[in-house]
Amino acid sequence: MIGKDDVVCTTINEDLTFDLFSRAQYLVLIKNGVIIHKEVNPALNSVNKRPTVAKRCVELNATMVLAPHGSLCYPSYLILRRAGVNIYVVKPGEKLGNDLNEYNKASAWEVTYSSFLAIKERIMEVIFHEQ
């Protein structure tokens, strides 16, 4: 399903496993199965974690995003859809390099779940930051 001209954006850890937009160590671009760009995840130092990744993927001209389950909050979804980026969901913890064609198109359920998870993470940050 990934075309030869697709530029895929996603977030991974050092061991090349997918991780949430808000937690992964790196943001990467992949073309033809090869990482063509790798940078420290900009969400790690941002208040708006998930949307920061979505904006960066658009800035880097990604044509497809592989969003680890729980990453695709409503603002991120809107940013990517408005830019015409195809959005698919992958399982956190799976290793990059496995068949990248095994993913599901983003659904309303995924956006809802991810939005609630983002709210929970934000509340936990506030609680633990105040202690």
Side-chain angles (χ1 to χ4, degrees), residues 25-121:
Q25 294 171 311
Y26 301 103
L27 180 144
V28 295
L29 290 182
I30 304 160
K31 187 168 183 175
N32 297 322
V34 177
I35 294 175
I36 59 170
H37 176 81
K38 181 178 178 180
E39 65 184 51
V40 173
N41 184 355
L44 297 176
N45 296 316
S46 173
V47 173
N48 299 315
K49 297 183 181 305
R50 290 165 175 80
T52 298
V53 170
K55 287 176 191 172
R56 187 66 180 136
C57 288
V58 171
E59 289 170 2
L60 293 169
N61 297 314
T63 58
M64 181 181 291
V65 165
L66 296 180
H69 175 58
S71 295
L72 199 59
C73 66
Y74 189 67
S76 298
Y77 176 78
L78 282 181
I79 290 165
L80 295 169
R81 291 299 299 155
R82 287 180 179 154
V85 176
N86 293 313
I87 311 165
Y88 295 89
V89 180
V90 295
K91 294 178 184 172
E94 284 194 1
K95 198 161 193 123
L96 176 66
N98 292 350
D99 187 1
L100 287 182
N101 288 314
E102 293 182 11
Y103 43 68
N104 298 311
K105 193 118 172 110
S107 66
W109 183 90
E110 177 64 32
V111 174
T112 302
Y113 171 79
S114 298
S115 296
F116 280 116
L117 185 60
I119 292 166
K120 177 187 168 218
E121 286 179 4

